[in-house]
Amino acid sequence: MKSPLLEVTDLKKHFFVHSGALGTGGATVYAVDGVSFTIDRAETLALVGESGCGKSTVGRCILRLFDITSGQVMLDGKRIDELSAGALRPFRRRVQVVFQDPFSSLNPRMRVRDILAEPIRNFRLATSRAELAARVDRLLEVVRLPRDAAKRWPHEFSGGQRQRIGIARALAAEPDLIVCDEAVSALDVSVKAQIVNLLYDLQQELGLAMLFISHDLAIVEHMTHRVAVMYLGKIVELAPKRALFAAPKHPYTQALLSAVPVPEPGAARQRIILKGDVPSPINPPKGCRFHTRCPYAFERCRAEEPALRATAGGHLSACHLHDLPAAQNPLAAAA
Ligand code: SF4
């Protein structure tokens, strides 16, 4: 059986933050604390959750912008978390990133032509100047920008257009996987929709795999195959998109989803307002990390951490309620 394109197993990334005047004190931030998932070729997985849940840290670990604390990251069956800088080079071409901020992520002193030519040159993907120029033209076409954009500077473009340039730059390396880290969060609503549609079209046309990191469930609904929901460094639910949006199994997913507008006029979800803020990843709650905010928390939740495991409808969910008989399960009663 073919291995998935990306396989992340029990990934942990802990940071030590120094404190005190001499930097002698400090604490550990459990930013990512045991995350596992796979992404197949030509598949999009959305990683969603509130700010500070660790989703962007997962992306940066996969990109090897951070060294991981423990666990494994495999690309095409090969472990990449242990590779030296030199051995990482071919991997760097295969996994590219589109960052959130289209204003700071492009070098203001480079014309668009040079921004797009840089990865093509670095990875020796063109054999002549003519081929290089043709590739740049093609990239602009793919992201729906005019050919004359090549000779212009980043500041001459709007936020949405800059994000198209950022996407073209990621595509220039001919990657297998693109990590989109809050790639549309900084954009206006209408532009956001255009870029999401573009990413969706590219994913379909080019057969790319994507890890789409977002705090906004509504955005991912139209473009992903599966959704993983993160809370305080852990995945609490992972399911095919349709199943997750139709019947979320985890109380946290239910709360997130209740805030997503329903397109049909007159239809409405009952909004679930969570109490309190996300606890600090320096001192995450014992047991289920969500128990301090969960409307259904019971004694076991405060003592025992629930494992992410298969439940009905093809979901993986980490919640003790799944062990209760239907008559005692408030989620079953609410369904
Ligand atoms: Fe809520 Fe308990 Fe389930 Fe955690 S394990 S989500 S606290 S019911």
Side-chain angles (χ1 to χ4, degrees):
M1 201 174 76
K2 221 174 175 192
S3 57
L5 177 66
L6 180 77
E7 190 166 9
V8 174
T9 309
D10 201 19
L11 172 67
K12 295 187 181 174
K13 177 61 188 174
H14 302 163
F15 298 95
F16 189 76
V17 282
H18 294 274
S19 63
L22 300 174
T24 47
T28 301
V29 179
Y30 298 91
V32 177
D33 209 17
V35 159
S36 302
F37 61 85
T38 59
I39 301 181
D40 280 327
R41 287 155 190 82
E43 185 191 33
T44 300
L45 176 74
L47 194 56
V48 299
E50 288 164 285
S51 170
C53 70
K55 56 192 187 305
S56 288
T57 305
V58 171
R60 277 152 212 251
C61 289
I62 290 167
L63 289 158
R64 280 291 307 265
L65 299 177
F66 293 151
D67 286 334
I68 67 175
T69 303
S70 65
Q72 279 191 5
V73 181
M74 312 222 350
L75 186 76
D76 235 348
K78 184 174 170 56
R79 218 170 145 176
I80 56 168
D81 55 273
E82 303 177 316
L83 293 180
S84 64
L88 261 180
R89 194 175 159 74
F91 154 79
R92 294 241 181 256
R93 184 193 68 72
R94 297 185 65 189
V95 184
Q96 292 289 308
V97 61
V98 179
F99 287 113
Q100 173 176 1
D101 186 352
F103 291 90
S104 64
S105 62
L106 301 177
N107 186 336
R109 286 184 290 277
M110 287 171 84
R111 290 182 196 270
V112 170
R113 174 191 300 116
D114 298 318
I115 290 171
L116 300 186
E118 193 174 47
I120 300 172
R121 282 199 196 97
N122 283 349
F123 296 115
R124 300 193 176 91
L125 296 172
T127 51
S128 64
R129 288 172 74 110
E131 189 187 348
L132 181 68
R135 278 181 178 252
V136 169
D137 285 349
R138 173 71 188 132
L139 286 165
L140 290 170
E141 193 183 317
V142 163
V143 298
R144 298 25 162 187
L145 282 173
R147 199 173 275 197
D148 70 358
K151 52 180 189 276
R152 291 159 61 193
W153 302 92
H155 73 262
E156 297 179 57
F157 295 90
S158 67
Q161 289 171 324
R162 285 187 201 203
Q163 205 54 312
R164 288 174 192 266
I165 297 166
I167 294 166
R169 180 180 55 186
L171 293 174
E174 298 185 350
D176 299 315
L177 172 71
I178 295 189
V179 176
C180 296
D181 187 2
E182 297 279 12
V184 297
S185 308
L187 304 174
D188 293 343
V189 176
S190 59
V191 180
K192 213 178 256 196
Q194 290 170 17
I195 299 297
V196 166
N197 288 341
L198 173 66
L199 287 168
Y200 176 79
D201 291 348
L202 292 176
Q203 197 272 329
Q204 300 281 307
E205 284 165 27
L206 307 175
L208 283 168
M210 283 190 201
L211 176 64
F212 192 86
I213 297 168
S214 175
H215 66 279
D216 187 350
L217 256 179
I219 284 290
V220 309
E221 184 170 7
H222 303 290
M223 63 159 309
T224 193
H225 296 103
R226 291 183 299 141
V227 182
V229 179
M230 271 189 86
Y231 185 79
L232 211 53
K234 296 201 173 264
I235 290 178
V236 295
E237 184 162 4
L238 200 163
K241 171 189 70 180
R242 281 203 183 84
L244 186 125
F245 277 83
K249 301 287 183 209
H250 193 280
Y252 178 60
T253 315
Q254 292 176 347
L256 282 186
L257 203 53
S258 76
V260 174
V262 182
E264 295 93 53
R269 292 189 179 101
Q270 194 185 347
R271 183 81 197 266
I272 302 167
I273 309 284
L274 293 175
K275 57 186 182 195
D277 295 322
V278 182
S280 165
I282 290 178
N283 192 15
K286 300 256 179 309
C288 173
R289 292 185 176 196
F290 187 53
H291 84 250
T292 54
R293 304 174 76 201
C294 179
Y296 307 113
F298 57 109
E299 205 168 329
R300 184 180 174 196
C301 309
R302 288 178 266 279
E304 188 186 326
E305 186 174 335
L308 187 68
R309 59 185 179 79
T311 64
H315 298 233
L316 297 176
S317 174
C319 177
H320 294 313
L321 291 177
H322 303 312
D323 293 338
L324 295 180
Q328 292 168 28
N329 187 336
L331 293 184

